[in-house]
Amino acid sequence: WDKLLESPPKPVAHYPWPFLDAALSGIRDRELITITSGTGMGKSTFSRQIAYRMVMDGHKVGMMMLEENVTRTVRDMLSIHMRRKLHKDSDGVDEETLRKAYDEVFGRDNLFLYDHFGSTETDNLLSKMRYMVTSLGVRFILLDHISIVVSGIGDGDERRIIDNLVTQLRTFVEETGVTLLMVSHLKRPEGKGHEEGAGCRQHAG
C-alpha cells in the first residue's frame, strides 16, 4: 500500500524528439530501455542522438559502443554536433574548427567512452559499468549492442544466455539507479535474408 501511494517517477532526462518524449513521458531513473530493429535501420545513430542530447543537457553519460572503436565514436558524436558526416565529408574542416567542436562536446567532462579492445566478457562489462557509475558519477549508460556480448560468450542456448544477461543488466540498473539504454539486433530467421518482427520475442527481457 505504501508503495502504491508513492508518487510515480518523474523524468530526469529527455529524448531529442518532442513527439517521442511526449509519448514516453521522458527518461526516468532505474529504467532499462531496449532499442531494437533490423540490420542497418539506424539503431546506433538513433541511440547516439539520445546520448548527445543527454550530454548537451549536462547529464553524465557512459557509452559502450562494442561494434566500433573509440575514434569512430568520437567522430560520430562530433558529426552530430557539427551536423555533417565527418567520416564521409571532412573536407574544409580545419583543425581549429574541429578542436572547437571537440571541446564543446567532450570538454564538459560528462561523457565517458569504454575502450573495449575487443573484450566483451560479461563480468568485465558489468565491472566497467559499475566503475562508471560509482567512480565517475555516470547516470546514463548506452550499451550497443548486447548481440556482440552474447556472441562472445560462446556456444550454448542463445535464449538462455540472453535471458541471463538481461537479468544481470536489470539487476544492475535497480541496484545503482542508473538508466541503461540497450541496443539489440533482431534475430534473423533461418533460411531468410532479413529479420522479421517476430524476432523481437528473442530479446524479450
Side-chain angles (χ1 to χ4, degrees), residues 84-131:
R84 63 188 302 172
K85 297 180 180 179
L86 293 177
H87 64 285
K88 293 182 178 181
D89 177 25
S90 60
D91 294 339
V93 180
D94 57 80
E95 186 174 330
E96 182 180 353
T97 301
L98 193 62
R99 181 68 200 198
K100 181 176 182 294
Y102 178 87
D103 289 341
E104 289 172 350
V105 177
F106 290 91
R108 298 165 173 262
D109 198 28
N110 63 339
L111 176 56
F112 304 93
L113 308 181
Y114 173 48
D115 196 354
H116 54 88
F117 286 105
S119 175
T120 58
E121 201 271 331
T122 304
D123 290 341
N124 185 52
L125 283 176
L126 287 169
S127 175
K128 294 299 188 296
M129 290 166 65
R130 194 172 297 278
Y131 172 79

Side-chain angles (χ1 to χ4, degrees), residues 65-97:
M65 312 298 283
L66 305 183
E67 210 169 23
E68 62 192 36
N69 57 36
V70 168
T71 304
R72 175 59 189 260
T73 305
V74 171
R75 186 180 293 116
D76 286 345
M77 292 298 282
L78 294 184
S79 294
I80 296 173
H81 188 67
M82 299 175 70
R83 298 179 180 273
R84 63 188 302 172
K85 297 180 180 179
L86 293 177
H87 64 285
K88 293 182 178 181
D89 177 25
S90 60
D91 294 339
V93 180
D94 57 80
E95 186 174 330
E96 182 180 353
T97 301

Side-chain angles (χ1 to χ4, degrees), residues 7-54:
S7 300
K10 296 181 180 180
V12 294
H14 298 280
Y15 292 96
W17 309 278
F19 71 92
L20 184 62
D21 199 57
L24 300 180
S25 300
I27 300 172
R28 291 160 293 278
D29 286 332
R30 286 186 167 84
E31 284 193 333
L32 174 57
I33 302 167
T34 305
I35 301 169
T36 184
S37 71
T39 303
M41 299 292 287
K43 295 183 296 297
S44 295
T45 300
F46 177 84
S47 56
R48 271 193 291 264
Q49 290 277 359
I50 297 174
Y52 172 77
R53 167 68 189 268
M54 289 182 174

Side-chain angles (χ1 to χ4, degrees), residues 62-68 113-133 141-153 165-166 168-169 172 176 178 180 182-183:
M63 296 181 68
M64 311 184 82
M65 312 298 283
L66 305 183
E67 210 169 23
E68 62 192 36
L113 308 181
Y114 173 48
D115 196 354
H116 54 88
F117 286 105
S119 175
T120 58
E121 201 271 331
T122 304
D123 290 341
N124 185 52
L125 283 176
L126 287 169
S127 175
K128 294 299 188 296
M129 290 166 65
R130 194 172 297 278
Y131 172 79
M132 284 184 172
V133 174
I141 296 177
L142 169 58
L143 175 60
D144 185 5
H145 53 84
I146 66 165
S147 304
I148 287 184
V149 182
V150 172
S151 66
I153 293 176
L165 174 59
V166 173
Q168 292 182 69
L169 292 174
F172 170 80
T176 61
V178 73
L180 176 62
M182 180 180 70
V183 178

